[in-house]
Amino acid sequence: MVNLNDLESRLRKLFEEKLVKHLPGQKAEEQLALKLATAMQAGIKDGPDGASLAPAVYVLVAHPATLSQYTKSARLLKELGKALQTVGLEAGLCFNTHPIITTTADTTMPPDELRLLASFTTESGGETAGLAAQPEKVEDEGRAEAIPGSAFLILHGTKIIPLTQSVINIGRRLDNHIVIDDPRVSRNHAQLRAIKGRFVVFDLNSTGGTFVNGQPANQSVLYPGDVISLAGVTLIFGQDLPATARSRELDQTAPGSAASADRPTAVLKTPPPDDRPE
């Protein structure tokens, strides 16, 4: 078993040697090293040929004001990913791809607090419970648009669900792509669709309603950091953006920002989904 203290100390050493000028203070440095080491160790699983496989995708969740300290340097997240790979390899771990770190804002979190979630890849949903391996056919599947890259949902603040299909149904019924076993959620509650390079959430005439950043939404374009509530069950939408766009998205579309509050919830002219709850 890989020692947590060893991983943390190795990360802190690398931070002090290479990233100290990019990190927002010693306290943040210590917290980040511990959170990353803990997420890495907790996610280790048996890989091929008896190797120990470590997660390769890490999502840093924090208040928008806190995240801005980590995204103002274009190279910081990339260098943190390199540091994870170096430390992991030194500890005898393997990765199925180069480690990456992305960010998602959560306005409900206290400032200066960090949460780290780990997953093995954004290319497959196989590691996430509740994502159907054999999704049902969609009538307009032949017209499905390109899937926005590296998008995901965070469920219950602990599960990363990669969004790798152009149409994703969410609800309590077992034939949904994402199954949420909660009585507040309708059997067919909401649907995500890839439209014009963005994911759009539709409410499927659910009993408890669908909300985006606290506002009722029958149809709403999603931006990184948006908080989706399905009758009180919270999901956070995230997407790994290019470095040049990441800070702009955080400033303009983070939950609670002026741009987010003024954003219309129905801006795309597309017919509503035919899928309705029984």
Side-chain angles (χ1 to χ4, degrees):
M1 183 67 178
V2 177
N3 184 276
L4 175 61
N5 291 333
D6 182 54
L7 288 177
E8 181 188 0
S9 62
R10 288 173 183 266
L11 279 172
R12 288 184 61 181
K13 183 178 179 181
L14 275 180
F15 291 174
E16 293 168 0
E17 291 176 352
K18 299 183 178 182
L19 298 174
V20 63
K21 66 179 181 180
H22 299 290
L23 290 168
Q26 183 176 355
K27 182 178 179 180
E29 175 187 318
E30 293 174 353
Q31 183 181 185
L32 183 60
L34 176 59
K35 297 286 187 179
L36 285 171
T38 301
M40 177 185 285
Q41 187 205 42
I44 294 173
K45 69 176 185 178
D46 293 334
D49 302 323
S52 294
L53 192 64
V57 178
Y58 297 80
V59 181
L60 175 61
V61 187
H63 190 278
T66 303
L67 283 186
S68 66
Q69 302 177 50
Y70 291 88
T71 56
K72 62 184 178 181
S73 170
R75 58 173 289 192
L76 178 57
L77 296 181
K78 183 176 180 180
E79 292 300 322
L80 287 174
K82 290 181 178 179
L84 279 176
Q85 183 172 25
T86 298
V87 167
L89 293 176
E90 288 177 351
L93 301 174
C94 298
F95 298 91
N96 56 11
T97 185
H98 295 296
I100 63 170
I101 298 179
T102 185
T103 61
T104 289
D106 184 349
T107 56
T108 65
M109 292 182 63
D112 300 326
E113 181 178 314
L114 303 178
R115 184 164 68 244
L116 258 296
L117 306 178
S119 180
F120 280 88
T121 176
T122 54
E123 299 299 324
S124 169
E127 296 299 327
T128 306
L131 188 61
Q134 297 289 336
E136 59 186 288
K137 294 291 184 180
V138 179
E139 290 183 5
D140 62 348
E141 187 173 9
R143 298 187 287 110
E145 297 197 27
I147 301 170
S150 302
F152 55 89
L153 291 175
I154 298 175
L155 175 62
H156 300 315
T158 58
K159 292 182 180 179
I160 301 174
I161 304 176
L163 303 178
T164 58
Q165 296 160 11
S166 60
V167 178
I168 299 170
N169 295 320
I170 308 173
R172 204 172 69 246
R173 271 177 40 169
L174 296 179
D175 59 354
N176 285 287
H177 300 90
I178 299 176
V179 178
I180 302 178
D181 185 15
D182 189 297
R184 294 172 293 178
V185 176
S186 296
R187 287 176 294 175
N188 295 313
H189 196 113
Q191 184 181 84
L192 299 182
R193 282 191 180 186
I195 300 175
K196 297 181 180 179
R198 289 284 192 184
F199 270 112
V200 182
V201 62
F202 295 87
D203 181 75
L204 300 179
N205 287 340
S206 63
T207 302
T210 298
F211 301 79
V212 176
N213 301 330
Q215 300 299 316
N218 290 322
Q219 172 183 339
S220 182
V221 181
L222 294 176
Y223 294 81
D226 277 351
V227 178
I228 305 167
S229 174
L230 306 182
V233 176
T234 300
L235 303 96
I236 300 174
F237 176 78
Q239 189 171 11
D240 185 20
L241 298 170
T244 55
R246 186 178 289 118
S247 60
R248 184 172 65 252
E249 289 281 6
L250 279 172
D251 291 339
Q252 296 181 354
T253 63
S257 69
S260 177
D262 294 340
R263 193 176 69 222
T265 59
V267 297
L268 296 179
K269 295 181 179 180
T270 182
D274 294 329
D275 195 0
R276 291 291 185 268
E278 297 178 355

